[in-house]
Amino acid sequence: MTVPEMYGSLVFNDKIMREKLPKDVYKALRKTIDRNTHLELDVANAVAVAMKEWAVEHGATHFTHWFQPMTGFTAEKHDSFISPTGSGEVIMEFSGKELVKGEPDASSFPSGGLRATFEARGYTAWDPTSPAFIKDGTLCIPTAFCSYSGEALDKKTPLLRSMEALNKEAVKVLKLLGNTDVTSVTTTVGPEQEYFLINKEDYKKRQDLIFTGRTLLGAMPPKGQEMEDHYFGTLRPRVAAYMHDLDEELWKLGIPAKTKHNEVAPCQHELAPIFDTTNVAVDHNQLTMEMMKKVADKHGFVCLLHEKPFDGINGSGKHNNWSMTTDTGLNLLDPGKTPAENIQFLVFLTAVIAAVDDYADLMRLSVATAGNDHRLGANEAPPAIISIFLGDELSAIMDAIEKDEFFSAQKKVAMETGAIVLPHFFKDTTDRNRTSPFAFTGNKFEFRSLGSSLSVAGPNVILNTAVAEKLSKVYEDLKDVAPEDLNEAVHARIKEAVIRHKKVIFNGNGYTDEWVEEAEKRGLCNYKTTPDVLPVFIAPKNIELFTKHHILTETEINSRYEILLENYCKSLHIEARTLADMLGQQFLPAVEKTIDRYVTLALKKKQLCETITSKTEKRYIEDLSQAYDTLYDLLQKLTADTEQAESIEDVLAQAKYYQETILAEMAEIRTAADEAERKIPEDLLPYPTYSQMLFYV
Ligand code: ADP
Ligand code: MG
C-alpha cells in the first residue's frame, strides 16, 4: 500500500461518505458537520447503514461509542453488530438510534458529586464533526458524554461549546469589520507530543512506573543529558522501526503525523501532526497517545507519557499550537506582510492578549496536574507564571500603537551563511524563545505549559472561551459606532487593549529569578502547585465567564473542581503507597542483603587471617545500617501521615496536605535511598537502575 492509499483507510471520512451515502443524506450530514445543524433520525439511519457496511467490509464486528470521561483517558464499551434472525442465524445490524445515542452507566466515572444528585444513567451522543474510525475490529464513534439531566461528564462537551462560543463572537466581529463573506470561524490545534521509550523488561520490574507512571526511587546515572547529544540525534534502529510503525498506524486512522525526532533527554522523543480543527485534533491526540503505547508493546518497549518519569532528567510536555481560521480559509492570526496596517489581525491579536492576561489563572489551572507540578517552573518547562512572547516585530508594533507613533517595518534580513553553495533565505522576523509559556510563532500561538499526558481539551476550552469573551467585548464596544467613525474607534480600541494588557507580554528569559520578581511587580499570578491554583476554578469572575458563554453551568464547574481535587489526592495517595511498598518490600531488604554480604565477607576474612582489618566492609556496614535505620523511620512516618491524609475530610485541605507534607516526605526518602543505592551491588538491586533504563535501549 502506498502512503496515500493507507492514509485514512480506517476512517469513515468525507470520501467514503460521498461514495456510500445517497446524495441527499450526504448533503444533510455535511450540513450538520459544517454548520452544526440538527440531524434528523432518517438521515442518521441512512448513515448508520452505510457506516456498518463500510466497517464490516473492513473486518469490524463491533461498534462502540468512544468518549472522553473526566478520567483523562478514553472509554469504550463494545457491542457487536449481530442481531438474531429467529432461525438460529444472525445478521449484522446497526441503526440510526444506536449511532446517535448510547446509554453507558455513568455511575463508575468521575462525576464530582453530580452522581449524588442525579441519576446514574449517562448518555453518549454522536459527534458527527469528528469522523468515526476502526480500531481493533471495532467501529469507534466519537461521542460526547453527559448525565441523565444533561450535565457534561466529559471533556468533549465543553470543548464543542467553547468552539461554538468563539465561532459566534468571532463572526460578529468580522462582520463588524466588513468581512461579511465569513460565515464561521473554527479554532485549529496542532499538538506536539513528547514521550519516553524504555525496554518492557525494565518496566515490568518497576512498581513505581507501573502504578504511578514515574520513578519514585533511583539514583542519577553518571551521564544524564548534560552532553546534549540526544536532541535531534540519529534515531537508533529499534526506535526508528517503532516510529515507522507508529506513523503507519496513525496514518491509517487519518492522523497526519508529520514530524518526529529525538528530544533532549535520553530515550525521549517527539511526534507532531499537522494541525486540524480543535475537536478533531483533541480526538486525534487521545488516539495518538493510545497508539504510542500499543505500538511500543509490539516493539518490546513501553511508552511513558508521564510528565516526569525520571528525576533529574527533563520531563515531557505537549505544545498546543493554536489559531483561528475562517471558512473562507483565512488564518486570523496571520499578520500578513504588513501587520502594522492589518487592523483585523491586530483586533484578534489584542483579543488573545487580553484573554490571556485576564484569564491567566484559568490557563494555569488548565495545565495543573500532580505530574505537571514537577515540570512547571523547574527550568525545563515554562515557568508557572503565564506570560506572552510576541517577538521583536510585534512588540515594536504594540509599542508604536501605544505611543501613537508611525511603525516602519524592518526590512527582511537576508541570512548570511557565509557559504556560496548554500541557498539564500530570509531570516524570520522573530527569533525563538523556549522559555515562554505562550509564544507567538508566526501565525499561531503555542501554549507550552501542557504536560505530556494531558488531554488537550481543557486548555483549549479555556483559550476559546476567554478569547470569545474578549471578542464579545470588542463587539459590544464597537457595534453602535457610525461607519465613518469605525476606523478610528477600532484604533482606539486596540490602543486601549495594548495599554491595559501589555503587562502580560514578556520577551525575555522566563527561567530567571529576576522574571519571577518582575512578574510579581506587574501583578501577574504565579501559582506554583496544583492545590494552589485549583480554587480559581470557582472564583466568581471565572464562573461568570463559563456561564455567560454556556460552556459550563455552575453545577458542572463545582463538580469539575471536585474531580480535579480528588484526582490530585488520589495520584499522590497511590504514589505514597507505592513508595512505601517498594521501600519496605524491595529496597530495605536489598540493603539488608548487602549488609549481610559484607558481614559474611568480613567474618570469612577474619577466619582466614586474624590480622585482616576489613575496614572497607565495616564502613559499608556502618553506612548502610545507618541508612537502613533512617529509611525505616521515614517509612513509618510516611505510612502514618498517608493515613492521616486520608482522614482529612475537606478535599482542598487534603490536597494541600498531600502537597506540603507527603510530597516532602517522599522527597526526603528518595534522597536517602538514592544515596544508599550507590552502595548496593548490582546483583542485589531489586529493580533496574536509571543507567539501565535510560542507556540500554
Ligand atoms: P516547532 O517544534 O518548531 O514548534 P513543529 O513543526 O514541531 O514546530 O510543530 C508545529 C505545530 O504547529 C504543528 O503541529 C503544526 O501543524 C502546527 N500549526 C501550524 N500552523 C497552525 C495553525 N494555524 N493552527 C494550529 N496549529 C498550527
Ligand atoms: Mg513547538
Side-chain angles (χ1 to χ4, degrees):
M1 243 200 282
T2 66
V3 174
E5 277 166 0
M6 183 191 300
Y7 190 80
S9 57
L10 295 177
V11 184
F12 192 71
N13 55 21
D14 193 68
K15 184 170 154 265
I16 305 288
M17 284 192 245
R18 216 170 331 157
E19 269 170 36
K20 295 257 174 205
L21 294 172
K23 238 195 185 128
D24 53 328
V25 173
Y26 172 75
K27 264 197 184 152
L29 180 60
R30 245 343 323 156
K31 204 168 135 202
T32 300
I33 295 172
D34 296 336
R35 281 185 251 150
N36 286 332
T37 54
H38 181 72
L39 190 86
E40 300 299 332
L41 190 62
D42 55 334
V43 176
N45 275 326
V47 176
V49 169
M51 239 187 215
K52 181 214 67 189
E53 231 179 72
W54 167 81
V56 170
E57 271 168 32
H58 286 77
T61 51
H62 288 68
F63 70 94
T64 181
H65 275 199
W66 185 75
F67 59 103
Q68 296 163 29
M70 297 303 294
T71 53
F73 303 104
T74 54
E76 43 196 75
K77 178 184 129 215
H78 300 213
D79 281 300
S80 70
F81 290 123
I82 62 164
S83 164
T85 57
S87 54
E89 289 167 26
V90 293
I91 51 167
M92 303 296 257
E93 255 185 0
F94 185 47
S95 70
K97 234 180 87 194
E98 286 172 306
L99 166 64
V100 171
K101 195 178 94 182
E103 292 186 29
D105 184 354
S107 60
S108 298
F109 293 104
S111 75
L114 284 178
R115 203 155 53 225
T117 24
F118 301 93
E119 268 204 63
R121 204 202 302 251
Y123 289 109
T124 48
W126 178 33
D127 168 17
T129 61
S130 181
F133 55 91
I134 296 172
K135 183 166 66 80
D136 297 329
T138 296
L139 169 68
C140 299
I141 300 152
T143 53
F145 179 46
C146 59
S147 74
Y148 181 70
S149 39
E151 269 81 18
L153 293 175
D154 69 347
K155 309 215 165 191
K156 187 187 270 273
T157 308
L159 181 75
L160 292 172
R161 291 174 184 163
S162 74
M163 289 170 70
E164 190 43 44
L166 187 131
N167 173 34
K168 197 173 110 202
E169 302 303 337
V171 168
K172 280 196 317 202
V173 170
L174 286 169
K175 289 229 151 80
L176 195 76
L177 296 176
N179 204 335
T180 47
D181 52 341
V182 172
T183 55
S184 71
V185 172
T186 52
T187 53
T188 49
V189 164
E192 299 162 59
Q193 175 76 48
E194 290 181 346
Y195 61 98
F196 278 87
L197 281 184
I198 62 164
N199 282 323
K200 203 194 310 188
E201 286 314 308
D202 290 339
Y203 174 85
K204 280 195 202 148
K205 294 182 197 131
R206 299 230 30 154
Q207 281 184 31
D208 44 8
L209 286 178
I210 292 172
F211 292 126
T212 74
R214 75 180 182 105
T215 54
L216 302 170
L217 294 170
M220 276 297 283
K223 178 183 172 191
Q225 61 195 44
E226 55 280 88
M227 302 297 283
E228 300 182 332
D229 51 359
H230 194 252
Y231 190 56
F232 282 15
T234 319
L235 303 175
R236 271 162 295 182
R238 264 184 80 200
V239 173
Y242 164 80
M243 288 181 169
H244 177 84
D245 260 16
L246 178 61
D247 276 345
E248 290 199 347
E249 290 306 315
L250 295 176
W251 290 338
K252 284 186 210 159
L253 289 167
I255 299 173
K258 171 89 174 160
T259 311
K260 52 188 183 185
H261 59 79
N262 283 346
E263 258 301 327
V264 175
C267 292
Q268 194 186 32
H269 317 281
E270 180 181 300
L271 181 144
I274 297 169
F275 70 95
D276 216 321
T277 311
T278 303
N279 72 318
V280 174
V282 168
D283 287 359
H284 280 174
N285 182 248
Q286 292 296 126
L287 268 178
T288 300
M289 292 195 283
E290 192 182 323
M291 284 302 154
M292 281 178 160
K293 295 196 167 210
K294 213 151 131 192
V295 176
D297 191 62
K298 280 191 211 147
H299 287 255
F301 287 131
V302 168
C303 170
L304 303 177
L305 289 171
H306 192 280
E307 285 74 16
K308 190 77 178 175
F310 304 101
D311 240 31
I313 304 264
N314 266 18
S316 298
K318 178 139 63 190
H319 290 176
N320 187 82
N321 295 275
W322 177 92
S323 190
M324 298 168 272
T325 314
T326 66
D327 59 340
T328 54
L330 182 72
N331 177 354
L332 292 170
L333 291 179
D334 187 346
K337 286 210 174 67
T338 50
E341 289 145 40
N342 186 343
I343 286 294
Q344 186 170 291
F345 165 71
L346 291 174
V347 166
F348 280 87
L349 178 73
T350 45
V352 176
I353 294 172
V356 173
D357 186 26
D358 282 350
Y359 296 100
D361 54 350
L362 284 178
M363 302 259 299
R364 172 68 183 89
L365 169 89
S366 75
V367 298
T369 60
N372 214 18
D373 279 0
H374 297 289
R375 294 176 65 241
L376 295 183
N379 286 8
E380 56 166 67
I385 306 160
I386 302 287
S387 66
I388 300 178
F389 169 83
L390 274 190
D392 293 341
E393 184 176 10
L394 286 188
S395 297
I397 293 174
M398 296 290 128
D399 233 31
I401 291 171
E402 187 190 342
K403 295 180 188 133
D404 281 324
E405 283 168 1
F406 180 73
F407 175 79
S408 61
Q410 287 166 276
K411 277 256 283 293
K412 280 227 168 191
V413 186
M415 186 80 186
E416 200 44 72
T417 56
I420 300 166
V421 291
L422 294 178
H424 292 256
F425 49 84
F426 289 110
K427 277 200 236 190
D428 287 314
T429 46
T430 59
D431 194 8
R432 290 179 167 238
N433 173 309
R434 286 177 68 93
T435 65
S436 176
F438 197 73
F440 187 74
T441 48
N443 59 4
K444 61 187 192 298
F445 275 102
E446 184 171 347
F447 187 18
R448 297 181 176 139
S449 310
L450 288 74
S452 46
S453 67
L454 192 73
S455 158
V456 290
N460 286 298
V461 169
I462 304 301
L463 262 173
N464 296 344
T465 310
V467 174
E469 165 63 13
K470 291 301 166 188
L471 290 173
S472 82
K473 287 266 153 67
V474 172
Y475 180 77
E476 283 307 312
D477 286 357
L478 299 175
K479 71 177 195 303
D480 297 324
V481 176
E484 62 273 22
D485 300 331
L486 191 64
N487 217 354
E488 205 170 312
V490 175
H491 265 289
R493 186 76 182 53
I494 294 172
K495 180 176 168 185
E496 194 195 306
V498 171
I499 293 171
R500 182 176 309 178
H501 298 291
K502 67 177 181 192
K503 70 174 195 293
V504 77
I505 296 168
F506 176 63
N507 294 326
N509 181 355
Y511 289 171
T512 63
D513 294 335
E514 289 81 57
W515 169 234
V516 178
E517 273 172 42
E518 163 75 18
E520 198 182 330
K521 270 192 225 137
R522 293 191 191 184
L524 303 185
C525 57
N526 182 5
Y527 296 102
K528 293 196 180 69
T529 70
T530 299
D532 287 340
V533 74
L534 287 185
V536 311
F537 210 163
I538 50 170
K541 91 172 208 305
N542 295 334
I543 292 182
E544 199 190 312
L545 174 77
F546 290 126
T547 50
K548 176 180 166 191
H549 295 279
H550 308 289
I551 311 300
L552 293 168
T553 63
E554 200 162 341
T555 315
E556 287 169 341
I557 295 169
N558 282 315
S559 101
R560 265 151 218 260
Y561 171 56
E562 197 154 307
I563 290 171
L564 287 172
L565 280 171
E566 277 172 6
N567 279 350
Y568 180 84
C569 294
K570 281 182 198 158
S571 303
L572 287 186
H573 184 225
I574 295 169
E575 286 190 357
R577 295 267 317 263
T578 305
L579 179 59
D581 278 3
M582 281 177 80
L583 205 61
Q585 295 167 353
Q586 297 185 316
F587 193 79
L588 288 178
V591 177
E592 264 180 337
K593 272 192 215 155
T594 310
I595 295 173
D596 187 50
R597 181 176 288 184
Y598 286 120
V599 169
T600 311
L601 187 62
L603 287 176
K604 276 192 186 151
K605 280 186 178 175
K606 204 177 169 94
Q607 266 175 6
L608 193 71
C609 165
E610 273 292 335
T611 55
I612 293 179
T613 59
S614 290
K615 216 166 108 192
T616 309
E617 287 85 351
K618 280 179 192 157
R619 279 192 52 192
Y620 269 113
I621 293 165
E622 241 172 60
D623 285 358
L624 284 171
S625 299
Q626 209 171 55
Y628 190 93
D629 292 344
T630 309
L631 282 166
Y632 183 81
D633 289 345
L634 288 172
L635 172 61
Q636 298 307 309
K637 190 159 162 36
L638 179 70
T639 309
D641 287 346
T642 310
E643 256 172 56
Q644 160 74 15
E646 284 305 288
S647 72
I648 300 173
E649 298 256 332
D650 177 78
V651 63
L652 178 60
Q654 188 183 34
K656 288 226 155 95
Y657 185 84
Y658 268 115
Q659 196 273 316
E660 283 161 10
T661 307
I662 301 294
L663 261 184
E665 288 178 20
M666 287 173 62
E668 200 181 342
I669 288 178
R670 178 166 196 148
T671 310
D674 289 356
E675 200 183 310
E677 186 188 298
R678 296 180 199 282
K679 301 195 179 89
I680 300 176
E682 207 173 88
D683 64 309
L684 293 183
L685 271 175
Y687 36 72
T689 60
Y690 267 35
S691 303
Q692 217 168 321
M693 283 187 285
L694 290 167
F695 291 96
Y696 289 83
V697 170

